[in-house]
Amino acid sequence: MQTIFDTIKKVAIKIDHAIKTEDLGYADSENSSGEDQLKLDVKSDYIIEEAFKDISIVKSLVSEEKEGVLELHDEGKYTICYDPLDGSSLADVNLSVGSIFGIYEGELKAENLVASAYVVYGPRIELVLATKETKPQHYRAQNGLFNFISEITLNEKGKLNAPGGTQQNWADYHKTFVDDLFAQGYRLRYSGGMVPDLHQILLKGGGIFSYPGTSDVPNGKLRQLFEVVPFAFLYEQAGGQAVNDTGMRLMELIPSHPHDTSPCFFGSNYEIENMKQAYGIKA
Ligand code: P6P
């Protein structure tokens, strides 16, 4: 696993350089979800694929930017599902973006995730990773090297509220849930970038990020294998919870297609219990 983590560190430095030096324009292509691709999306995906293609323990790759599974090594042990540059359109307004990696062993379902990592490209390059044996480990890059900062633990209750999705399409009970937290004094922290938004809650001790099913997107927008499950793993390892709109653990998801999405709630225990109550979910 260390080889995979070391490769992610190398990839992070290269993608950060690309963000800071290359064209922010659109490529003349779409990803498998039909979204226009930025040249940076394509470049970041290429950097990651090139980095992992010669690592024999990597069986295959699944990218948000490509359809299907890229088989690499028959004798490999791990499949890496990744979003090479999540929230990439934020780069052209100089907001933070990120890369997300889910490392799976065996069938591509949440319970088979054995490690997770994400990189935040912001004022600094930061990396958070965890295995089943560790709490999330926070690193910060300096002069191209990643220095360990601390282990991450979520408080029982936080102060930050990151409500995603188009508000006019929220269910009434979801709006009540969100507004109730603000009435309790929670601070709005939402940039439209999943990685920096979830990173902030982890580093600031807690709160909740929600991207619910909505009338226009009933199954939510965020992809299970390379966005939702890797963060669900990290939030649970940090002592928090990660559930869908029925209260099911996101770590029990079984996607039927690599690009399946899910409504998702990541947060400290107090806020997730608030959500379950607002959604009428029996404890
Ligand atoms: P909305 C970025 O496009 C992304 O996939 C995530 O990074 C982010 O959390 C979400 O979409 C934002 O979506 O609908 O709030 O703009």
Side-chain angles (χ1 to χ4, degrees), residues 17-58:
H17 180 71
I19 292 167
K20 291 180 168 61
T21 59
E22 302 203 10
D23 179 350
L24 295 176
Y26 280 91
D28 54 0
S29 56
E30 288 183 348
N31 66 15
S32 54
S33 303
E35 297 162 334
D36 291 337
Q37 286 179 310
L38 286 165
K39 289 175 185 170
L40 272 179
D41 289 318
V42 176
K43 179 62 181 282
S44 301
D45 188 35
Y46 173 78
I47 289 169
I48 294 171
E49 186 178 318
E50 282 297 297
F52 281 114
K53 72 180 175 52
D54 297 328
I55 297 178
S56 61
I57 58 170
V58 179

Side-chain angles (χ1 to χ4, degrees), residues 33-105:
S33 303
E35 297 162 334
D36 291 337
Q37 286 179 310
L38 286 165
K39 289 175 185 170
L40 272 179
D41 289 318
V42 176
K43 179 62 181 282
S44 301
D45 188 35
Y46 173 78
I47 289 169
I48 294 171
E49 186 178 318
E50 282 297 297
F52 281 114
K53 72 180 175 52
D54 297 328
I55 297 178
S56 61
I57 58 170
V58 179
K59 182 178 182 344
S60 51
L61 297 175
V62 179
S63 168
E64 183 196 47
E65 297 303 332
K66 289 198 286 280
E67 192 57 48
V69 178
L70 175 66
E71 298 297 342
L72 291 178
H73 306 284
D74 291 344
E75 73 286 1
K77 188 176 180 185
Y78 303 111
T79 294
I80 301 175
C81 298
Y82 64 91
D83 184 350
L85 200 60
D86 182 77
S88 52
S89 59
L90 296 171
D92 59 13
V93 291
N94 206 29
L95 288 177
S96 296
V97 292
S99 301
I100 311 167
F101 302 86
I103 297 110
Y104 297 81
E105 191 172 341

Side-chain angles (χ1 to χ4, degrees), residues 86-87 164-166 190 192-195 209 211 221-223 227:
D86 182 77
T166 305
Y190 192 80
M194 179 183 197
V195 175
F209 173 102
Y211 205 105
K221 173 183 182 183
L222 302 179
R223 285 81 168 188
E227 291 171 332

Side-chain angles (χ1 to χ4, degrees), residues 61-158:
L61 297 175
V62 179
S63 168
E64 183 196 47
E65 297 303 332
K66 289 198 286 280
E67 192 57 48
V69 178
L70 175 66
E71 298 297 342
L72 291 178
H73 306 284
D74 291 344
E75 73 286 1
K77 188 176 180 185
Y78 303 111
T79 294
I80 301 175
C81 298
Y82 64 91
D83 184 350
L85 200 60
D86 182 77
S88 52
S89 59
L90 296 171
D92 59 13
V93 291
N94 206 29
L95 288 177
S96 296
V97 292
S99 301
I100 311 167
F101 302 86
I103 297 110
Y104 297 81
E105 191 172 341
E107 185 190 346
L108 292 181
K109 58 184 180 180
E111 68 183 52
N112 286 347
L113 186 91
V114 294
S116 171
Y118 67 83
V119 181
V120 190
Y121 308 100
R124 300 178 292 217
I125 312 171
E126 301 208 345
L127 164 70
V128 172
L129 53 84
T131 67
K132 287 186 171 179
E133 290 70 44
T134 70
K135 283 187 178 296
Q137 312 283 310
H138 177 209
Y139 295 82
R140 183 172 298 140
Q142 194 161 23
N143 303 321
L145 295 176
F146 281 88
N147 303 309
F148 175 72
I149 304 297
S150 67
E151 277 195 342
I152 297 175
T153 302
L154 281 167
N155 299 328
E156 273 302 298
K157 181 181 184 300

